[in-house]
């Protein structure tokens, strides 16, 4: 699958590898070392200063078909207004402010408004239940939460447990439902627009965003990013998403996750690109109509969505005019070769796979317009990124092609996370022998293409979202009937993996479909629909190591039909 190199922003990959430097990206943005750099400013004010104030920044469509449009000047003023509002409340630079809302315009303006006043934005997925929310707010000692009426119930429930949270800001208060005394009403349409706001003078290493991600053990970790990440998000949007001035770009990710901020807010807007947002769930026809109506040209999505579209077949595609599309990218899970080949047949365009993580902040290993795609491969390191695979045990780079090792990246790229909030020990443990170890297994072929193999830990990737087994197991133990539990990923044709729980019940409780449903609901409400076990299997007792630890890996291996053999290799966590 070859493309015309001359037409893309990247041009020749080989030449870019030779010529590229991060300094070039800095220069393009007009950033000078040690000067102020603020993501909020670069995504709005700077675009206006460079003659694009009247250009559309956001085309937003709600679930009922309502459409709202905002120019870059609107973006500038709305983010100013929110920044001033937060400042007037007494919120200080460095404070953590959580965004807990659906994909409404206020989420996008709030994110940049927080950054403009020097705050640290903590976006959380609005489908999270109380316990998921509580753990992350507690860890970050979040001072304020911006939310919608519809999510207030969850916030009110946990409020008594979080004395540090001073401000609950309701962004869609229309007076229809009385707020509680401590809650603060904010309405963008009623607020006095702030024409001039002095952006807080953040510099390269000033903290910007805190994104929570799950690991195998312990609580979720807050990957802490800095304003300098902009350099990488800007240039990868230009070279990998191939964004140009007249593009209409659609990123399907929710800003509760890193794709939705790095490539659903920061990178594209820093390039002055018009972005579309659809605040509605997945449905093939709705998605195709959205592409047709807004003439989307560049589309960034995820394998689970693509596999769901594949299931719907060609019929819905024929009903809509999708000829505006010119470049498609994917992230979050392995993109199988069949999906790449199918999309080429269905849309006349392949999906370009990109690999990266919450921790990396920007794309690391990708396929580029102009570079041959090998369907099923993640592609090659972005110019400016040094990536390899290292031996599973010695962590030395593997010299022979085709050997499976751990994906490792040389630290120092602009958007690398700078810490796990409050958890420097875990942060440090990710760096071994001068490499950042991603926690994924892959091999590199003789042409330098990376091939994903799987995760190196027990984290479950369901539909492109990571869920930590420990968090679910801990929540399961809070259910009155559960004595012991182990949670693993189980193969799934659409979501790649779904959550499966093995449970030993307490004496006096009988296994039944009823209790299964109760437990599923219990997790869905406390954690999220993603974390809810799709399958529960009751066991009399869970398999344990000699020291009494539950052997999660043994259960996982069974689900995947893997050879178990000598169980001693499965004993360590
Ligand atoms: C993990 C990171 C960064 C965007 C969303 C996910 C898996 C990500 C790919 C890909 C195979 C992938 C890895 C990675 N992953 N992209 N193209 N092929 N696996 O961010 O929640 O931090 O998850 O997602 O396992 O480590 P995240």
């Amino acid at each position: 699958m070859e493309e015309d190199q001359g037409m893309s922003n990247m041009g020749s990959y080989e030449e870019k590898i030779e010529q590229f430097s991060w300094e070039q990206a800095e220069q393009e943005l007009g950033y000078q070392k040690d000067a102020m750099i603020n993501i909020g400013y670069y995504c709005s004010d700077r675009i206006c200063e460079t003659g694009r104030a009247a250009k559309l920044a956001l085309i937003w469509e709600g679930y009922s078909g309502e459409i709202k449009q905002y120019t870059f000047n609107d973006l500038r003023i709305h983010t100013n207004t929110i920044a001033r509002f937060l400042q007037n409340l007494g919120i200080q630079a460095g404070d953590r402010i959580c965004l807990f809302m659906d994909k409404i315009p206020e989420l996008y303006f709030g994110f940049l408004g927080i950054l403009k006043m020097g705050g640290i934005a903590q976006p959380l997925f609005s489908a999270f239940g109380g316990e998921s929310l509580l753990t992350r707010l507690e860890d970050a000692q979040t001072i304020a939460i911006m939310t919608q009426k519809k999510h207030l119930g969850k916030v009110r429930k946990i409020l008594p447990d979080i004395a540090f949270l001073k401000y609950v800001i309701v962004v869609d208060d229309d007076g229809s439902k009385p707020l509680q005394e401590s809650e603060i009403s904010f309405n963008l349409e009623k607020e006095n627009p702030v024409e001039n706001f002095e952006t807080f003078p953040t510099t390269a290493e000033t903290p910007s965003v805190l994104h929570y991600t799950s690991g195998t053990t312990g609580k979720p970790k807050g990957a802490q990013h800095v304003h300098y990440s902009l350099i990488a998000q800007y240039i990868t949007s230009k070279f990998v998403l191939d964004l140009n001035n007249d593009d209409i770009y659609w990123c399907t990710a929710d800003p509760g996750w890193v794709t939705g901020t790095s490539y659903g807010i920061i990178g594209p807007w820093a390039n002055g690109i018009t972005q579309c947002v659809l605040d509605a769930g997945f449905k093939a026809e709705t998605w195709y109509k959205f592409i047709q109506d807004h003439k989307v040209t560049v589309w960034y999505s995820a394998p689970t969505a693509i596999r769901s579209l594949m299931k719907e077949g060609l019929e819905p595609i024929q009903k809509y005019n999708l000829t505006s599309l010119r470049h498609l990218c994917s992230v979050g899970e392995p993109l199988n070769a069949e999906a790449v080949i199918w999309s080429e047949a269905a849309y006349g365009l392949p999906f370009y796979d990109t690999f990266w993580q919450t921790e990396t902040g920007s794309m690391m290993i990708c396929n580029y317009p102009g570079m041959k795609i090998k369907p099923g491969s993640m592609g090659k390191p972005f110019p400016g990124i040094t990536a390899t695979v290292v031996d599973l045990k010695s962590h030395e780079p593997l010299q022979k092609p085709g050997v499976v090792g751990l994906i490792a990246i040389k630290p120092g790229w602009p958007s690398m996370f700078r810490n796990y909030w409050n958890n420097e020990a875990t942060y440090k443990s990710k760096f071994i022998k001068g490499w950042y170890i991603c926690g994924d297994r892959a091999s590199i072929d003789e042409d330098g293409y990376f091939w994903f193999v799987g995760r190196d830990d027990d984290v479950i990737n369901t539909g492109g979202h990571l869920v930590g087994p420990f968090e679910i197991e801990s929540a399961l133990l809070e259910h009155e009937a559960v004595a012991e539990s182990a949670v693993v990923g189980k193969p799934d044709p659409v979501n790649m993996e779904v959550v499966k729980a093995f449970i030993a019940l307490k004496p006096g409780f009988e296994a039944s479909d009823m209790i299964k449903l109760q437990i599923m609901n219990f997790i869905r409400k406390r954690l999220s629909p993603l974390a809810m076990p799709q399958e529960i299997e009751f066991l009399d007792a869970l398999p344990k190591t000699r020291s009494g630890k539950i052997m999660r890996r043994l259960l996982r291996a069974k689900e995947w039909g893997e050879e178990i053999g000598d169980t001693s290799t499965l004993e360590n966590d």
Side-chain angles (χ1 to χ4, degrees):
M1 291 182 189
E2 215 97 32
E3 264 191 33
D4 183 357
Q5 301 189 347
M7 299 297 284
S8 70
N9 290 335
M10 167 80 94
S12 148
Y13 176 74
E14 278 71 31
E15 275 174 30
K16 266 290 168 322
I17 286 285
E18 295 296 318
Q19 299 161 355
F20 180 84
S21 70
W22 296 112
E23 285 73 27
Q24 286 171 8
E26 291 179 356
Q27 277 164 20
E28 266 191 46
L29 273 169
Y31 167 73
Q32 282 170 347
K33 282 252 178 295
D34 304 324
M36 171 180 152
I37 178 169
N38 184 288
I39 291 172
Y41 162 81
Y42 272 99
C43 288
S44 58
D45 302 61
R46 184 164 184 281
I47 305 301
C48 297
E49 287 163 13
T50 47
R52 289 169 285 179
K55 183 178 173 179
L56 275 186
L58 175 63
I59 303 171
W60 177 88
E61 190 176 317
Y63 56 88
S64 59
E66 181 193 1
I67 291 175
K68 293 182 181 174
Q69 298 193 330
Y70 303 89
T71 64
F72 276 99
N73 195 47
D74 296 331
L75 186 59
R76 182 181 71 78
I77 291 176
H78 291 333
T79 53
N80 280 352
T81 308
I82 292 178
R84 173 72 56 77
F85 182 84
L86 297 174
Q87 250 182 7
N88 285 347
L89 284 178
I91 296 173
Q92 310 268 320
D95 284 342
R96 275 77 60 210
I97 302 137
C98 171
L99 294 152
F100 189 57
M101 28 182 145
D102 298 352
K103 292 192 269 182
I104 58 173
E106 285 81 354
L107 170 58
Y108 298 80
F109 305 147
F111 181 82
L112 295 179
I114 291 168
L115 298 179
K116 274 192 172 177
M117 54 77 61
I120 303 177
Q122 182 192 16
L124 292 178
F125 188 40
S126 63
F128 274 157
E131 193 155 318
S132 290
L133 186 62
L134 176 65
T135 329
R136 290 157 178 83
L137 296 178
E138 236 169 11
D139 187 65
Q141 295 284 297
T142 309
I143 195 169
I145 184 166
M146 296 177 76
T147 190
Q148 288 166 271
K149 279 179 305 198
K150 67 189 276 199
H151 300 303
L152 261 181
K154 291 189 274 191
V155 178
R156 283 178 183 166
K157 244 192 184 154
I158 60 166
L159 263 182
D161 298 326
I162 46 179
F164 50 84
L165 193 114
K166 289 204 194 130
Y167 312 99
V168 176
I169 302 161
V170 185
V171 300
D172 60 348
D173 177 36
D174 54 5
S176 65
K177 245 190 191 174
L179 295 186
Q180 290 182 358
E181 209 180 308
S182 59
E183 293 160 356
I184 304 156
S185 165
F186 175 84
N187 190 320
L188 200 53
E189 273 143 35
K190 295 194 186 131
E191 206 66 28
N192 271 337
V194 175
E195 181 60 41
N196 296 302
F197 178 82
E198 200 169 324
T199 304
F200 189 85
T202 50
T203 53
E205 293 302 308
T206 310
S208 55
V209 183
L210 199 54
H211 265 300
Y212 277 78
T213 181
S214 301
T216 311
T217 52
K219 290 181 175 175
K221 303 161 292 196
Q224 185 224 301
H225 289 281
V226 295
H227 280 269
Y228 188 61
S229 70
L230 171 69
I231 304 295
Q233 289 148 348
Y234 165 78
I235 203 73
T236 48
S237 296
K238 182 169 170 181
F239 286 160
V240 187
L241 298 173
D242 194 42
L243 293 173
N244 285 309
N245 201 29
D246 50 2
D247 274 317
I248 308 281
Y249 166 73
W250 182 30
C251 169
T252 60
D254 187 299
W257 313 101
V258 73
T259 309
T261 57
S262 290
Y263 297 103
I265 302 181
I266 307 173
W269 275 342
N271 278 277
I273 301 300
T274 304
Q275 300 203 59
C276 296
V277 169
L278 175 61
D279 182 19
F282 173 83
K283 208 170 156 243
E285 294 223 6
T286 314
W287 277 32
Y288 291 144
K289 184 170 185 305
F290 185 76
I291 293 171
Q292 167 183 283
D293 289 353
H294 303 294
K295 302 191 171 57
V296 172
T297 59
V298 179
W299 181 20
Y300 196 20
S301 201
T304 289
I306 301 164
R307 287 192 289 266
S308 304
L309 292 169
M310 276 170 83
K311 257 179 64 180
E312 304 281 329
L314 298 177
E315 203 192 318
I317 299 179
Q318 281 144 9
K319 286 197 204 161
Y320 297 93
N321 179 355
L322 307 180
T323 51
S324 56
L325 289 173
R326 70 166 186 87
H327 187 46
L328 321 180
C329 295
S330 165
V331 66
E333 316 148 65
L335 180 65
N336 32 326
E338 300 83 75
V340 179
I341 292 161
W342 177 82
S343 93
E344 178 120 85
Y347 311 119
L349 301 164
F351 267 92
Y352 286 69
D353 194 12
T354 66
F355 167 89
W356 56 292
Q357 304 179 300
T358 303
E359 286 86 344
T360 70
S362 69
M363 298 163 177
M364 296 286 110
I365 299 167
C366 317
N367 291 282
Y368 313 93
M371 188 181 89
K372 179 178 173 239
I373 292 186
K374 294 193 187 186
S377 158
M378 307 193 295
K380 296 188 184 190
F382 184 77
I385 297 295
T386 306
T388 189
V389 294
V390 298
D391 184 80
L392 296 173
K393 290 215 171 77
S394 74
H395 298 101
E396 294 297 340
L398 291 167
Q399 305 301 336
K400 271 209 225 124
V403 185
V404 174
L406 298 170
I407 303 178
I409 301 164
K410 251 297 135 259
W413 71 95
S415 63
M416 188 178 92
F417 70 136
R418 299 300 200 263
N419 208 348
Y420 285 125
W421 195 259
N422 268 332
N423 195 350
E424 196 159 4
T426 307
Y427 176 73
K428 286 196 166 143
S429 74
K430 300 276 171 175
F431 297 87
I432 303 175
K433 295 194 173 166
W435 294 98
Y436 163 66
I437 307 292
C438 291
D440 289 299
R441 295 184 182 193
S443 67
I444 307 178
D445 71 16
E446 55 290 345
D447 299 323
Y449 283 74
F450 284 61
W451 296 80
F452 186 82
V453 172
R455 286 199 57 97
D456 188 50
D457 56 20
D458 292 344
V459 172
I460 300 159
N461 188 333
T462 178
H465 301 297
L466 302 188
V467 293
F470 181 81
E471 205 183 0
I472 306 175
E473 288 161 2
S474 307
L476 281 170
L477 290 181
E478 287 171 37
H479 190 278
E480 55 171 7
V482 177
E484 286 179 335
S485 74
V487 165
V488 301
K490 172 188 152 76
D492 181 82
V494 171
N495 290 292
M496 192 170 92
E497 287 183 275
V498 290
V499 173
K500 171 162 184 182
F502 292 89
I503 290 174
L505 291 170
K506 281 187 187 157
F509 288 92
E510 287 279 323
S512 70
D513 284 347
M514 186 69 161
I515 208 161
K516 270 188 193 172
L517 282 179
Q518 256 182 21
I519 294 173
M520 285 176 181
N521 238 336
F522 181 81
I523 297 299
R524 185 179 59 80
K525 279 205 166 149
R526 292 205 159 205
L527 298 180
S528 74
L530 300 172
M532 183 185 85
Q534 302 283 325
E535 194 176 309
I536 291 178
E537 188 174 329
F538 294 112
L539 299 175
D540 291 336
L542 296 180
K544 298 207 187 70
T545 63
R546 276 178 291 276
S547 60
K549 253 187 168 178
I550 292 170
M551 287 168 74
R552 196 193 278 142
R553 292 225 170 148
L554 182 85
L555 295 167
R556 185 182 188 282
K558 268 203 218 149
E559 292 303 316
W560 290 80
E562 285 162 8
E563 282 290 322
I564 298 165
D566 175 10
T567 54
S568 64
T569 58
L570 295 159
E571 285 195 9
N572 41 3
D573 211 22

